[in-house]
Amino acid sequence: MTDLIHDLRAPVAEPGTGQVRTGTAVSRVDGRAKVTGDARYAAEHFAPDMLYGVVVSSTVAKGRIVTIDATEALALEGVVEVMSHLNRPKVRSFDISYKDMTAPAGSPFRPFYDDQVIYSGQPVALVLAETFEAARRGAALVRIHYHEEAHDTRMTANLDKAYKPRPLKAGYEPPPPEKGDAEKAWQAAPVRIESEFHHGVEHHNPLELFASTVIRDEDGHLTIYDKTQSSQNSRWYVSHVFGLSKNKVTVRNPYVGGAFGSGLRPQYQLTLAVMASLKMKRSVRVTLTRQQMFSFGHRPETVQYVKLAAEQDGTLRSIMHDAIAETSQIEDYVEVVVNWSGLLYACDNIKLGYKLVSVDQYTPIDMRAPGAAHGMHALEVAMDELAYKLKMDPLALRLKNYAERAPIEDKPFSSKELRACYSQGAEKFGWDQRPLEPRSMREGSELIGWGMATGVWDAMQMFARASAVMHVDGRLVVSSAATDIGTGTYTVMATIAAEAMGLPLERVTFQLGDSTLPVAPIEGGSSHVATVGSAVAGVCDKLRKTLLRYAQSAADSPFRDKRLKDVEFVDGALRLKKDPRTWISLASIVGATGRDQLEEKYLMLPNMLKQRKYRRLVHSAVFVEARVDEELGIVRITRVVSAIAAGRIMNTKTASSQIVGGVVWGISQALHEESHTDHRFGRFMNHNLSEYHVAVNADIHDIDVIFVEEDDRIVSRLGAKGVGEIGLVSVSAAVSNAIFHATGKRIRSTPITPDKVLMGGP
């Protein structure tokens, strides 16, 4: 080893040359692959003998399949099979209640289980053909006769049937017990408001269609490219449903073209593609149409009731928040909708309630900021109403009731820089120039309003494994079965590893999206950086110790008696802090071992004993300018300032992109998005991108993102929290409040469409 230690007079590289640091703006390492088309998605993998599957969807919302006539379809050139419940292969667990890793309480939907139809759009047959075109045409030729039964998809007409859910869904917290006597305090307070809110169904609509490509090897091994937010969840699902050893199934999702929660659960095209591959003993791809993307999961329709009471000086005396949401007839899908009202403002009397109504629809599914997107909207619009009844500035009311500890459970916060969000956001926006009275600002034909709202979301950490391999050529490969749904996971994890090992980013590769890699949680809930990032930091720490140990192995090594604190990893080398001219390249350390590589593995487990002592949250303050043409009812959102407290920011570029995307979606939620059901048929009618309205470029103007300084070592060893969800939370409330400030009209349902603006409600 002695000859590998560089001469003391060797030239010294400047510290940090060619290296990256967390907390800076780093461009996506996967960006080139995506813009050049090198990145391949679930429906872009091929096999020579591949069959193409197209799903036939039910046209009734409830009933039974009487006959399936596939004669015309099978007569079509290229069509080889029409599969249904009548001829599917046997599966292991369809006779028991099967649950995937994110399943709520109940009995999950089982495609092709029997002749029963439980919702409109349910898959009832699969046409398999040598070409996609033949399969698509064949699907149109399958004739199905149903015995139709009465259905009911009207959630608001069945509020009297609401019930408390079975809270078995992972990550769900039922509303806590009442604090104080909220009703009594509300009745006794001098200033009170009472409001009802309605939020329609929303659908995720990621650009990449859901698809599963099953490539079958000669030995029967299945390599599946799936549109999913967890390769390991899909692999677990396939293994359990079909009774296959995990060694017989590999699931990959290296690139995901958006998901927003729609890929948390394995969707039915995965089940059907595997069924078809096992039946036909060939490779199979099943891709859903845009219309079929509306046939599984959505943000549920929700009705909320909020009652607030305060003293004349704005001190909150009572918070009551109840929500009723839809679910399916087979599962109790639950969200944390009302709990946020017990976490944000100091109050001695808080009462929260949450119930469900079952309808003949598919089970809802998590959608970006599930629960908080609706729950925080209601609370923050109600706070705005209370501020006006008090004749008090809305920001001043929030500061008056600022909570230093989590109100309903009396826990300290792991960190909370919400005051900084308020002050920095307000200063950037110019909030101090805002007149209190509505209809005070006008420019031309447009009324101008300024609104604000507070956002909150959980700062979660789960468990994960990671491996790190230092190769003899100086390359570092770090691996974990994480997912990148466009959030920047590739880039952030590579940056964490590069900084830890003192390597330029181009010498680091982060591997994800493969079920054979070290275990990682589902990519959801804004937890990946705090979880997988901490695992990456942990495994790099182990690798640093290993490299130092090997560098110490020679008797005359200048590193022999040195500890990790005495050395630094810079520019691909290990060197002494006090004598930077004494260094050795990491590649040389590996080479001296006689091996091609050195590998370490690490299991990251949250310190739950410590974490449970705190309430761990991310916060935001959103300020919005709305311009309203009162004659046409058209609303334009011309300025948004979003101030975020989310711990240490690992990559300011990708994090800012996440917040901007969340703000865009919040504007879309407030003004555009809703799936409309024709209850005569129990069917979503605007199930396409031409009629399901989303915000487009012309709807978006100036968006400023501020990250306030925060460092939370309780949530993660990195000090990081998460930014995926918080960018969306309460944007719609701030938009609604700005519209009220502009027009004096309080609209309590979303989306706030021109007709509601013209009518002044509801």
Side-chain angles (χ1 to χ4, degrees):
M1 178 75 71
T2 306
D3 60 336
L4 297 177
I5 305 299
H6 287 262
D7 188 273
L8 296 181
R9 296 182 298 277
V12 180
E14 289 295 321
T17 302
Q19 292 179 222
V20 295
R21 292 284 185 266
T22 55
T24 60
V26 180
S27 296
R28 294 175 182 269
V29 298
D30 54 329
R32 180 177 293 274
K34 287 184 173 180
V35 299
T36 59
D38 285 344
R40 288 197 291 168
Y41 295 83
E44 296 180 321
H45 296 268
F46 297 88
D49 63 340
M50 182 175 291
L51 291 174
Y52 297 82
V54 170
V55 173
V56 179
S57 304
S58 70
T59 58
V60 302
K62 191 174 183 179
R64 292 192 175 275
I65 300 169
V66 178
T67 60
I68 298 177
D69 184 354
T71 306
E72 290 183 67
L74 290 170
L76 193 67
E77 183 179 357
V79 173
V80 299
E81 182 63 282
V82 175
M83 193 172 70
S84 69
H85 70 283
L86 298 172
N87 61 350
R88 63 165 170 82
K90 291 183 178 180
V91 294
R92 185 182 73 175
S93 65
F94 265 17
D95 293 330
I96 63 174
S97 180
Y98 168 76
K99 301 184 187 304
D100 65 82
M101 294 182 189
T102 62
S107 183
F109 171 66
R110 296 167 288 185
F112 288 10
Y113 176 60
D114 56 20
D115 63 354
Q116 186 175 6
V117 176
I118 61 173
Y119 72 97
S120 180
Q122 175 179 319
V124 291
L126 180 71
V127 176
L128 296 165
E130 302 288 350
T131 65
F132 172 76
E133 291 78 11
R136 185 71 184 268
R137 176 57 182 155
L141 298 176
V142 176
R143 313 300 179 194
I144 302 179
H145 177 61
Y146 303 93
H147 172 72
E148 192 170 357
E149 299 172 11
H151 66 268
D152 193 345
T153 53
R154 303 166 302 152
M155 193 275 277
T156 56
N158 290 285
L159 297 179
D160 59 324
K161 300 177 183 177
Y163 61 92
K164 289 185 178 181
R166 295 161 285 177
L168 298 180
K169 181 171 176 281
Y172 171 69
E173 290 184 49
E178 181 177 3
K179 177 184 179 182
D181 191 330
E183 184 63 41
K184 182 178 179 180
W186 188 83
Q187 293 289 350
V191 182
R192 300 177 296 181
I193 66 103
E194 184 174 3
S195 300
E196 179 179 338
F197 300 86
H198 176 263
H199 302 274
V201 168
E202 297 174 55
H203 276 86
H204 305 71
N205 276 306
L207 282 182
E208 182 195 7
L209 298 174
F210 267 79
S212 297
T213 300
V214 181
I215 298 178
R216 186 179 187 276
D217 297 340
E218 290 184 3
D219 64 355
H221 182 275
L222 304 181
T223 300
I224 304 170
Y225 292 91
D226 190 35
K227 161 87 172 214
T228 177
Q229 288 174 245
S230 172
S231 60
Q232 291 179 330
N233 193 29
S234 289
R235 197 276 305 157
W236 190 88
Y237 172 90
V238 169
S239 294
H240 281 72
V241 168
F242 294 98
L244 301 173
S245 164
K246 69 177 184 178
N247 298 323
K248 284 290 187 180
V249 181
T250 300
V251 177
R252 293 174 180 160
N253 64 330
Y255 296 100
V256 180
F260 318 115
S262 61
L264 290 175
R265 300 186 71 175
Q267 300 297 0
Y268 63 74
Q269 90 288 336
L270 173 62
T271 315
L272 301 186
V274 175
M275 272 188 188
S277 181
L278 294 175
K279 179 178 177 64
M280 306 303 295
K281 294 183 171 51
R282 292 176 64 174
S283 299
V284 174
R285 176 190 298 149
V286 177
T287 305
L288 302 185
T289 65
R290 177 60 60 180
Q291 288 74 23
Q292 288 166 343
M293 296 275 278
F294 285 73
S295 64
F296 58 83
H298 51 269
R299 197 191 298 280
E301 183 178 5
T302 309
V303 173
Q304 298 180 77
Y305 309 92
V306 179
K307 296 167 72 174
L308 302 177
E311 299 292 342
Q312 292 290 357
D313 67 353
T315 302
L316 279 170
R317 291 303 182 206
S318 177
I319 298 173
M320 288 185 281
H321 189 174
D322 291 278
I324 302 176
E326 63 149 318
T327 190
S328 68
Q329 298 285 3
I330 59 174
E331 293 177 294
D332 282 358
Y333 172 76
V334 290
E335 294 181 334
V336 178
V337 178
V338 299
N339 299 25
W340 314 105
S341 294
L343 294 173
L344 201 50
Y345 300 115
C347 186
D348 293 331
N349 303 282
I350 303 173
K351 184 179 181 181
L352 310 173
Y354 177 68
K355 293 183 177 180
L356 299 177
V357 170
S358 296
V359 296
D360 294 315
Q361 284 280 15
Y362 191 87
T363 306
I365 195 171
D366 290 346
M367 188 172 183
R368 195 173 189 173
H374 285 167
M376 285 301 299
H377 177 101
L379 174 66
E380 288 301 287
V381 172
M383 283 291 287
D384 199 68
E385 292 187 56
L386 181 63
Y388 275 96
K389 195 156 188 179
L390 290 162
K391 300 189 184 324
M392 190 174 184
D393 178 81
L395 177 54
L397 176 63
R398 288 163 172 82
L399 289 169
K400 175 73 175 177
N401 295 284
Y402 191 89
E404 300 294 348
R405 295 173 67 88
I408 204 164
E409 56 194 349
D410 194 32
K411 283 184 180 180
F413 296 103
S414 59
S415 62
K416 184 181 181 183
E417 294 296 335
L418 179 56
R419 285 190 190 274
C421 292
Y422 286 145
S423 61
Q424 293 180 34
E427 181 180 6
K428 179 73 174 179
F429 189 82
W431 186 259
D432 61 344
Q433 301 299 310
R434 177 186 184 270
L436 181 61
E437 290 301 316
R439 305 180 67 86
S440 299
M441 298 187 292
R442 181 187 290 271
E443 188 173 298
S445 62
E446 291 180 316
L447 293 165
I448 302 172
W450 291 358
M452 62 85 56
T454 310
V456 64
W457 181 256
D458 281 317
M460 293 182 282
Q461 186 184 53
M462 292 175 269
F463 78 93
R465 294 183 183 272
S467 70
V469 179
M470 179 62 71
H471 292 267
V472 73
D473 61 359
R475 292 181 300 108
L476 175 68
V477 177
V478 182
S479 304
S480 185
T483 301
D484 192 335
I485 59 174
T487 51
T489 307
Y490 276 114
T491 308
V492 171
M493 301 306 161
T495 302
I496 293 169
E499 180 182 54
M501 300 306 301
L503 290 167
L505 192 60
E506 60 268 20
R507 302 294 291 167
V508 178
T509 299
F510 182 68
Q511 295 184 146
L512 56 70
D514 190 315
S515 63
T516 63
L517 296 176
V519 66
I522 295 172
E523 208 285 77
S526 299
S527 62
H528 243 33
V529 169
T531 302
V532 180
S534 293
V536 169
V539 76
C540 287
D541 189 48
K542 285 187 70 174
L543 185 59
R544 283 155 54 96
K545 293 175 182 176
T546 298
L547 289 164
L548 175 59
R549 187 172 68 250
Y550 279 110
Q552 295 169 331
S553 60
D556 56 349
S557 169
F559 298 98
R560 186 165 181 79
D561 60 347
K562 299 298 185 280
R563 299 181 180 181
L564 204 58
K565 67 179 182 179
D566 302 320
V567 300
E568 57 187 354
F569 289 74
V570 180
D571 302 321
L574 170 66
R575 74 185 188 190
L576 294 177
K577 287 182 179 179
K578 292 185 177 180
D579 186 4
R581 292 194 300 176
T582 299
W583 58 279
I584 179 174
S585 72
L586 304 184
S588 297
I589 297 174
V590 177
T593 67
R595 308 178 195 175
D596 293 333
Q597 62 187 42
L598 290 176
E599 180 178 8
E600 286 294 347
K601 298 179 180 180
Y602 183 77
L603 169 62
M604 198 292 299
L605 292 173
N607 186 344
M608 296 307 297
L609 290 176
K610 182 179 180 181
Q611 290 186 356
R612 284 173 180 164
K613 297 177 182 179
Y614 299 88
R615 174 53 76 166
R616 306 176 305 280
L617 301 169
V618 294
H619 294 93
S620 69
V622 188
F623 299 83
V624 166
E625 178 180 272
R627 293 174 178 250
V628 183
D629 187 317
E630 204 169 21
E631 292 186 359
L632 300 176
I634 294 173
V635 178
R636 296 194 303 132
I637 304 304
T638 48
R639 281 197 303 138
V640 179
V641 174
S642 181
I644 306 292
R648 287 185 63 231
I649 302 302
M650 295 289 100
N651 184 342
T652 57
K653 190 171 187 177
T654 54
S656 294
S657 177
Q658 282 293 290
I659 301 302
V660 168
V663 169
V664 170
W665 200 340
I667 294 170
S668 196
Q669 175 193 353
L671 302 180
H672 303 286
E673 293 194 43
E674 184 176 15
S675 303
H676 296 281
T677 301
D678 187 328
H679 296 294
R680 296 173 300 169
F681 307 108
R683 185 180 312 154
F684 294 117
M685 303 305 293
N686 56 329
H687 54 339
N688 53 66
L689 291 182
S690 63
E691 294 172 307
Y692 181 89
H693 293 174
V694 298
V696 297
N697 285 348
D699 298 308
I700 306 303
H701 297 274
D702 294 338
I703 300 174
D704 286 314
V705 178
I706 299 170
F707 290 115
V708 306
E709 189 172 342
E710 189 176 63
D711 191 334
D712 196 322
R713 303 291 166 157
I714 293 169
V715 170
S716 73
R717 65 182 292 163
L718 300 168
K721 296 180 180 177
V723 299
E725 261 77 17
I726 192 62
L728 168 64
V729 178
S730 290
V731 173
S732 63
V735 170
S736 178
N737 295 339
I739 292 171
F740 174 78
H741 187 236
T743 66
K745 298 177 180 180
R746 185 68 70 182
I747 301 170
R748 297 184 183 87
S749 66
T750 58
I752 303 172
T753 47
D755 58 315
K756 295 177 185 178
V757 175
L758 293 173
M759 294 169 59

